[in-house]
């Protein structure tokens, strides 16, 4: 029995040795990849957001609205996010949010995140199609389409932009700049009557209609429609939610 047992024990020990050796080798071979992943994560670019408030966004010393003002960050400013406030701690102009810690001009402070967006604001006179194409480089789910309709005497053209967000205020401020909603109109608060009409107080000469129609249900926004009308021309801008996206649509009509 001893003569048989010895070869068996030797065989088991030999198998265990090679198994451990192979395991050690596989772990060693995986190490450079792990290090590469770690190095890549360290080199990840910091997150940036853009100021969407047309009058600029205040940078404050502390994370409350009564804190000292450090600066005003202009519309379209790209700011670095130091830390995010993920809880809702305040409501400003009907927008719920909190104060992100941000860096601006090499100074750190706090800014209300309701006026900060992942989507860069469109430049003045930027065409919707060009804006959509620029956004798609970072957000593949962005889509844009154009359709024509109406009649020969009353032709119409509709431009539709779909944004991968469910934030009404984000959609409103982009539509405001991209589709020519007058700066006078503020973001309509979710709470209010089921149907509200807000007219521009000082429209330009020759403008027949310039107004915002707000549809709500149970203090939730359902649709925002801006209507513009003058002699021979008019357009409407409609903002609505479609699933997990916001739809921004402008229809031009000539007569």
């Amino acid at each position: 029995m001893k003569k048989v047992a010895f070869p068996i024990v030797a065989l088991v020990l030999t198998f265990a040795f090679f198994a451990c050796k192979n395991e050690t080798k596989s772990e060693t071979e995986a190490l450079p990849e792990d290090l590469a992943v770690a190095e890549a994560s360290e080199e990840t670019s910091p997150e940036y957001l853009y100021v969407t408030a047309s009058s600029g966004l205040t940078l404050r010393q502390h994370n409350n609205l009564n804190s000292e003002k450090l600066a005003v960050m202009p519309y379209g400013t790209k700011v670095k996010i130091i830390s995010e406030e993920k809880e809702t701690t305040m409501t400003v102009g009907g927008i719920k949010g909190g104060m992100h810690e941000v860096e601006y001009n090499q100074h750190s402070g706090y800014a209300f995140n309701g006026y900060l967006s992942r989507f860069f604001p469109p430049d003045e006179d930027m065409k919707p199609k060009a804006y959509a194409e620029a956004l798609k480089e970072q957000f593949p789910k962005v889509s844009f389409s154009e359709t024509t309709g109406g009649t020969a005497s009353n032709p119409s053209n509709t431009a539709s932009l779909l944004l991968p967000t469910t934030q009404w205020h984000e959609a409103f401020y982009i539509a405001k700049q991209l589709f020519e909603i007058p700066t006078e109109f503020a973001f309509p608060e979710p709470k209010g009557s089921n149907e509200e009409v807000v007219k521009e107080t000082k429209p330009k000469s020759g403008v027949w209609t310039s107004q915002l129609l707000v549809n709500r249900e149970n203090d939730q926004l359902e649709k925002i429609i801006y209507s513009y009308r003058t002699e021979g021309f008019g357009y409407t801008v409609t903002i609505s939610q479609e699933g997990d996206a916001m739809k921004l649509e402008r229809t031009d009509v000539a007569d």
Side-chain angles (χ1 to χ4, degrees):
M1 291 295 292
K2 291 182 180 179
K3 291 182 180 180
V4 175
F6 179 77
I8 293 175
V9 171
L11 182 62
V12 170
L13 291 175
T14 303
F15 177 81
F17 172 78
F18 282 107
C20 292
K21 186 175 180 180
N22 289 337
E23 183 178 353
T24 304
K25 182 179 179 182
S26 63
E27 289 175 355
T28 304
E29 288 176 346
L31 189 59
E33 183 179 352
D34 294 340
L35 288 174
V37 171
E39 290 175 0
S41 63
E42 291 175 357
E43 295 176 359
T44 300
S45 300
E47 182 179 6
Y48 290 87
L49 296 176
Y50 298 88
V51 174
T52 59
S54 56
S55 58
L57 181 61
T58 301
L59 180 71
R60 297 184 182 275
Q61 187 173 14
H62 302 293
N63 61 343
N64 64 78
L65 298 178
N66 296 320
S67 179
E68 180 183 350
K69 295 181 180 180
L70 301 178
V72 175
M73 301 179 289
Y75 169 85
T77 299
K78 183 179 182 180
V79 298
K80 178 182 176 180
I81 305 304
I82 299 175
S83 65
E84 290 183 301
E85 174 55 75
K86 296 183 179 180
E87 301 294 329
T88 297
T89 60
M90 60 188 68
T91 300
V92 179
I95 303 172
K96 295 180 179 181
M99 302 289 278
H100 281 352
E101 186 178 6
V102 304
E103 184 179 293
Y104 169 69
N105 278 352
Q106 299 182 341
H107 296 286
S108 62
Y110 294 83
F112 179 60
N113 57 21
Y115 295 111
L116 293 172
S117 174
R118 296 177 301 153
F119 311 117
F120 72 89
D123 295 328
E124 189 176 356
D125 298 327
M126 191 173 193
K127 300 299 183 184
K129 184 177 181 179
Y131 179 65
E133 289 174 350
L135 277 185
K136 284 192 72 170
E137 294 179 6
Q138 187 176 358
F139 304 98
K141 290 185 178 180
V142 169
S143 66
F144 177 80
S145 62
E146 280 186 292
T147 57
T148 56
T151 63
S153 58
N154 299 98
S156 66
N157 182 79
T158 300
S160 298
L161 174 65
L162 208 61
L163 294 175
T165 180
T166 57
Q167 300 297 319
W168 281 84
H169 61 275
E170 250 184 337
F172 179 78
Y173 286 112
I174 290 175
K176 194 173 182 180
Q177 182 73 12
L178 192 65
F179 290 145
E180 298 180 87
I181 298 176
T183 57
E184 176 184 320
F185 292 106
F187 175 70
E189 296 194 17
K191 290 186 177 181
S193 58
N194 286 353
E195 186 170 292
E196 179 185 9
V197 176
V198 183
K199 295 185 178 182
E200 187 177 8
T201 57
K202 296 181 180 179
K204 294 179 180 179
S205 177
V207 175
W208 296 352
T209 303
S210 179
Q211 65 182 32
L212 208 62
L213 172 64
V214 184
N215 293 134
R216 304 179 179 91
E217 186 174 342
N218 298 324
D219 290 333
Q220 297 290 329
L221 291 170
E222 290 290 316
K223 190 174 290 187
I224 301 173
I225 303 173
Y226 171 70
S227 299
Y228 174 90
R229 191 77 171 83
T230 189
E231 185 176 1
F233 176 71
Y235 66 89
T236 59
V237 178
T238 304
I239 304 169
S240 59
Q241 185 173 348
E242 288 194 358
D244 58 354
M246 297 299 299
K247 186 176 184 179
L248 288 59
E249 194 168 71
R250 170 168 165 159
T251 299
D252 293 356
V253 179
D255 56 19

